[in-house]
């Protein structure tokens, strides 16, 4: 089977809903041992995990605050004891991202964006690296956003943090390439998931009209891109950004 991930252990943070959930399900269907992670809403997490278990691949669910160093350390110790060390890392956890003029953001909000999109990938990556380097194989897939390429406004805090995440990923890809570890990015467009349910319909209609492909993106579109980048078939692909947005941006 193409893109098989048999016996590979994948950690996807923020994976009980939205894009993370779709990736978790797709990876399990291709043989990966999936570690599902959440921080809030245990009821939803347990319901999603039941769906994941039904696929039949070994899996586990963990509650962890992925911007806290001690919580991340405990997370990796728990995974290694239950399944083994992580081979594939997808930092996907995200907070709310309100669009506001710069005067209405405070620095605490900017810091929260940096924590989720730079600090968390840093903490998770450094926890993965000893094992990945020993085995000369690893996959790190950071979820960025088209907002960085488009300069979306008024959205400075989120866009700046995604720019930092992009720079982090590009430099890291060169640093880790000699070890057989690839670092790539997926840059989704606006893909309506649960947290977009209350977004104004007029805003949704305007965005849909701007997509060259003429349809909304689906979480499964992102999952398919992640599956490829995690596979052996993508061993010679690193430092790249895959835009999953129907042609709105080019990288």
């Amino acid at each position: 089977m193409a893109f098989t991930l048999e016996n590979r252990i994948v950690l996807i943070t923020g994976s009980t809903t939205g894009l993370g959930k779709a990736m978790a399900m797709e990876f399990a269907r291709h043989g990966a041992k999936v570690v599902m992670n959440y921080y809030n809403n245990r009821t939803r997490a347990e319901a999603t995990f039941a769906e994941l278990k039904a696929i039949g691949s070994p899996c586990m669910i963990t509650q962890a605050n992925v911007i806290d160093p001690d919580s991340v350390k405990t997370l990796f110790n728990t995974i290694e004891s239950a399944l083994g060390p992580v081979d594939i890392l997808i930092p996907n956890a995200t907070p709310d991202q309100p669009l506001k003029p710069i005067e209405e953001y405070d620095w605490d909000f900017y810091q929260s964006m940096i924590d989720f999109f730079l600090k968390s990938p840093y903490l998770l990556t450094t926890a993965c690296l000893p094992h990945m380097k020993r085995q000369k194989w690893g996959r790190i897939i950071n979820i960025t956003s088209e907002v960085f390429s488009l300069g979306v406004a008024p959205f400075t805090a989120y866009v700046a943090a995604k720019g930092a995440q992009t720079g982090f990923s590009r430099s890291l890809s060169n640093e880790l390439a000699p070890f057989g570890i690839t670092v790539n990015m997926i840059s989704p467009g606006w893909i309506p998931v649960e947290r977009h349910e209350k977004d104004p319909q007029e805003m949704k209609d305007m965005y849909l009209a701007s997509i060259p492909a003429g349809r909304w993106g689906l979480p499964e579109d992102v999952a398919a891109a992640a599956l490829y980048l995690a596979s052996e078939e993508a061993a010679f692909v690193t430092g790249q950004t895959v835009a999953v947005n129907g042609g709105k941006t080019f990288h």
Side-chain angles (χ1 to χ4, degrees):
M1 179 172 67
F3 309 133
T4 182
L5 298 175
E6 201 72 33
N7 294 319
R8 294 295 188 188
I9 297 171
V10 55
L11 168 61
I12 307 171
T13 66
S15 48
T16 60
T17 187
L19 304 183
K21 176 182 176 180
M23 288 187 281
M25 301 300 174
E26 185 71 1
F27 276 59
R29 284 190 286 267
H30 284 76
K33 298 177 181 179
V34 175
V35 182
M36 186 170 272
N37 159 260
Y38 74 104
Y39 184 55
N40 298 305
N41 200 330
R42 178 182 294 274
T43 300
R44 181 180 65 192
E46 290 176 348
T48 304
F49 186 57
E51 295 179 49
L52 181 66
K53 287 194 293 184
I55 295 173
S57 184
C59 58
M60 64 183 290
I61 189 165
T62 59
Q63 183 179 24
N65 178 358
V66 295
I67 65 173
D68 177 76
D70 290 336
S71 185
V72 169
K73 183 177 179 180
T74 299
L75 169 64
F76 276 84
N77 288 338
T78 301
I79 295 169
E80 188 156 354
S81 296
L83 292 178
V86 171
D87 302 301
I88 300 165
L89 170 66
I90 306 179
N92 177 69
T94 182
D96 289 337
Q97 305 139 15
L99 280 76
K100 295 182 180 182
I102 188 170
E103 296 90 346
E104 294 181 20
Y105 288 128
D106 57 23
W107 180 253
D108 286 344
F109 185 80
Y110 269 82
Q111 188 64 56
S112 73
M113 296 294 101
I114 293 169
D115 287 347
F116 270 93
F117 303 124
L118 191 58
K119 181 182 180 182
S120 180
Y122 161 78
L123 293 173
L124 295 164
T125 296
T126 52
C128 286
L129 282 184
H131 165 67
M132 291 183 178
K133 285 185 173 181
R134 280 194 301 269
Q135 70 175 3
K136 297 288 186 178
W137 196 98
R139 300 286 186 267
I140 299 168
I141 303 169
N142 284 309
I143 308 301
T144 59
S145 174
E146 69 177 13
V147 301
F148 177 61
S149 297
L150 294 172
V152 171
F155 213 19
T156 53
Y158 181 73
V159 175
K162 287 299 182 181
Q165 189 181 31
T166 297
F168 170 77
S169 302
R170 289 178 176 174
S171 179
L172 191 63
S173 70
N174 282 331
E175 181 176 340
L176 299 183
F179 298 95
I181 302 167
T182 67
V183 183
N184 289 292
M185 293 163 280
I186 296 175
S187 175
W190 182 11
I191 298 178
V193 292
E194 294 89 335
R195 64 189 179 88
H196 297 296
E197 288 175 352
K198 296 181 180 180
D199 289 343
Q201 188 60 45
E202 180 182 3
M203 186 182 298
K204 290 181 178 179
D205 291 343
M206 288 177 61
Y207 184 87
L208 178 58
S210 74
I211 302 174
R215 70 163 175 89
W216 281 108
L218 303 172
E220 290 75 16
D221 294 320
V222 174
L227 178 67
Y228 167 67
L229 292 174
S231 71
E232 197 60 45
E233 285 82 350
F236 203 53
V237 178
T238 194
Q240 302 306 305
T241 299
V242 178
V244 183
N245 61 5
K248 277 183 66 69
T249 59
F250 302 94
H251 294 274

